[in-house]
Amino acid sequence: MDRVVIFDTTLRDGEQSPGCSMTVPEKMKMARKLVDLGVDIMEAGFPIASDGDFEAVRAIAAEYPEMKVAALSRATRLDIDRAADALKHAKRARIHTFIATSDIHLKYKLKKSRQQVLDEAVAAIKLAKFYCEDVEFSAEDATRTDFDYLEQISIAVVEAGATTVNLPDTVGWSVPHEYGALIGRMVRSFGDRAILSVHCHDDLGLAVANSIAAVQAGARQIECTINGIGERAGNCSLEEVVAAFAVRGDQLPFETGINLKELYPASQLLGKLITFGPQPNKAIVGENAFAHEAGIHQDGYLKHRATYEIIEPSSVGVPEGRLVLGQHSGRHALNQRCADLGYTLTKDQLDAVYHQFTHLADTKKGVRNDEIKTIVQSVVAGAAAAD
Ligand code: KIV
Ligand code: ZN
């Protein structure tokens, strides 16, 4: 009962946001990492949206038959047929179909009545069930939907065969106690007839807190992304939510199948495939997440790391040695940091890197790893050009 399903939507909700688009080969690389990470379900694309999305779903399902692969579709025949086609050879397929349920979406976007939306949702589930057993329904903008209507439509889709009901906080509107209460009400309403899923956007910076509140109230699937990428302010960050369960098991006794040591490598890979990495102060995977710069902190940390660290960096795959390097750091420390970052330097290369490093360190307070990487890459590229 306390196992939480991690539904990764980096390749769909994440990928569709600005600066995050990936080619099919790039999605394949990321998919490999998500398999290593141990996500339970991978949402690989929205097949009706583009041929690339279609191909990504098809190729990922073919390459990783043991992985459950989801394809998104609106609640229409065209979309569902296309999703089913992309999943045709998948061994473990899920069709994920959605329709908006809030009055604001019904009135301005869909121009449909509540009854029409309910009928279309039920028809979509029945059609999707024709293709596969595992069908997820999402009530888009659930948190701004009339809750009685939301309950009515949720029960109707479960009766039509939906095996997972997702109640997204599409616009990041909810706050934890409110979202928890909504989820609790729905869990009581349809019990174990379907898994209740949550999908939170981060417009108020509450996506992780809301997802956790939902799990405490009975949700058993979290939809999330690596580095929290996604529309606008992003989605619930996978690394943050699973680390919270791992580190605070005393308060949050929930399990996931995530291999924590792959969190940082997955974050790094995604940052290389899209146009940006996590912000430096991002929890768990950010450049500064385990960096100690203030003198008092460094002193305490060096005496006993638990004074200022609640997570062992290596437990989430972060290379050790996060003391900030600055103008007082020596060649040895720099060489060690380069090695931690994956670079083996010759003596001449280290001399050149050290030279540039000391210049930079003189001008600022602490040199970040990404700056060290830039220096190393320019030195290595310079050496290669000279050869
Ligand atoms: O944010 C949202 O509501 C979605 C749905 C399509 C699940 O991404
Ligand atoms: Zn979303």
Side-chain angles (χ1 to χ4, degrees):
M1 280 309 283
D2 295 333
R3 171 67 158 79
V4 176
V5 170
I6 297 297
F7 176 114
D8 180 274
T9 184
T10 305
L11 301 178
R12 196 282 296 171
D13 213 351
E15 197 266 349
Q16 73 187 29
S17 61
C20 297
S21 58
M22 286 176 247
T23 61
V24 175
E26 287 169 339
K27 279 192 170 189
M28 296 302 290
K29 271 193 202 154
M30 196 63 219
R32 167 77 261 162
K33 207 22 124 193
L34 294 172
V35 170
D36 296 344
L37 185 61
V39 304
D40 297 292
I41 304 173
M42 206 186 288
E43 187 163 55
F46 188 6
I48 196 80
S50 71
D51 290 345
D53 268 46
F54 180 95
E55 179 53 19
V57 170
R58 193 205 59 72
I60 290 171
E63 180 88 10
Y64 302 108
E66 299 315 319
M67 172 56 60
K68 182 161 281 188
V69 176
L72 187 69
S73 70
R74 286 167 298 188
T76 66
R77 173 172 287 279
L78 201 66
D79 279 38
I80 294 170
D81 286 348
R82 187 84 176 134
D85 200 15
L87 290 167
K88 198 160 53 190
H89 301 296
K91 288 233 161 39
R92 301 184 68 214
R94 171 176 292 187
I95 295 182
H96 175 194
T97 186
F98 75 99
I99 191 164
T101 51
S102 65
D103 286 338
I104 189 166
H105 278 242
L106 265 57
K107 180 170 177 196
Y108 295 105
K109 187 180 84 175
L110 300 178
K111 302 190 194 317
K112 288 181 178 160
S113 68
R114 287 185 181 182
Q115 188 59 49
Q116 267 176 298
V117 164
L118 191 148
D119 292 343
E120 287 178 23
V122 168
I125 299 300
K126 287 187 176 154
L127 176 60
K129 281 301 261 199
F130 171 78
Y131 291 116
C132 77
E133 173 50 32
D134 188 341
V135 173
E136 173 171 338
F137 173 74
S138 281
E140 192 190 12
D141 205 16
T143 50
R144 293 191 302 166
T145 298
D146 174 82
F147 290 171
D148 290 335
Y149 174 60
L150 189 63
E151 186 166 0
Q152 190 192 358
I153 198 166
S154 299
I155 291 172
V157 294
V158 170
E159 279 167 1
T163 42
T164 299
V165 175
N166 183 39
L167 299 179
D169 187 24
T170 303
V171 292
W173 165 254
S174 213
V175 296
H177 70 273
E178 177 192 30
Y179 197 48
L182 169 65
I183 298 301
R185 170 178 171 174
M186 297 300 164
V187 168
R188 283 190 294 281
S189 168
F190 55 81
D192 57 9
R193 286 189 289 163
I195 290 191
L196 213 148
S197 165
V198 291
H199 174 118
C200 297
H201 282 267
D202 208 28
D203 299 66
L204 293 175
L206 292 172
V208 171
N210 283 337
S211 302
I212 289 174
V215 167
Q216 288 178 301
R220 284 297 176 268
Q221 174 176 287
I222 298 179
E223 303 196 353
C224 48
T225 61
I226 302 296
N227 293 344
I229 64 168
E231 286 291 342
R232 306 178 308 280
N235 285 66
C236 171
S237 140
L238 183 153
E239 53 280 357
E240 292 179 22
V241 81
V242 302
F245 293 151
V247 176
R248 294 307 313 274
D250 57 327
Q251 291 293 318
L252 304 170
F254 305 107
E255 275 179 26
T256 70
I258 295 296
N259 173 6
L260 296 182
K261 281 192 189 302
E262 290 292 345
L263 288 174
Y264 183 74
S267 162
Q268 289 287 297
L269 176 65
L270 181 66
K272 290 193 183 101
L273 295 175
I274 62 174
T275 58
F276 56 92
Q279 82 243 22
N281 62 336
K282 175 135 176 60
I284 319 300
V285 292
E287 193 59 36
N288 294 347
F290 299 97
H292 305 277
E293 177 150 17
I296 293 175
H297 286 216
Q298 289 201 346
D299 179 52
Y301 170 83
L302 287 169
K303 287 175 177 149
H304 195 297
R305 62 192 305 162
T307 52
Y308 286 102
E309 231 169 54
I310 60 162
I311 308 170
E312 180 90 20
S314 60
S315 71
V316 290
V318 172
E320 286 291 342
R322 310 299 285 181
L323 290 185
V324 172
L325 294 188
Q327 56 194 160
H328 304 299
S329 304
R331 206 176 285 257
H332 180 73
L334 180 63
N335 194 27
Q336 182 57 51
R337 180 61 53 87
C338 292
D340 289 343
L341 294 171
Y343 302 103
T344 308
L345 301 178
T346 63
K347 185 180 170 308
D348 287 350
Q349 285 171 336
L350 178 61
D351 286 346
V353 170
Y354 187 67
H355 182 70
Q356 289 190 38
F357 166 80
T358 49
H359 272 291
L360 185 62
D362 280 345
T363 64
K364 65 200 291 280
K365 206 171 171 252
V367 180
R368 296 191 316 268
N369 280 351
D370 61 311
E371 294 169 319
I372 295 173
K373 278 189 205 167
T374 305
I375 295 176
V376 172
Q377 280 159 2
S378 78
V379 165
V380 172
D387 285 347

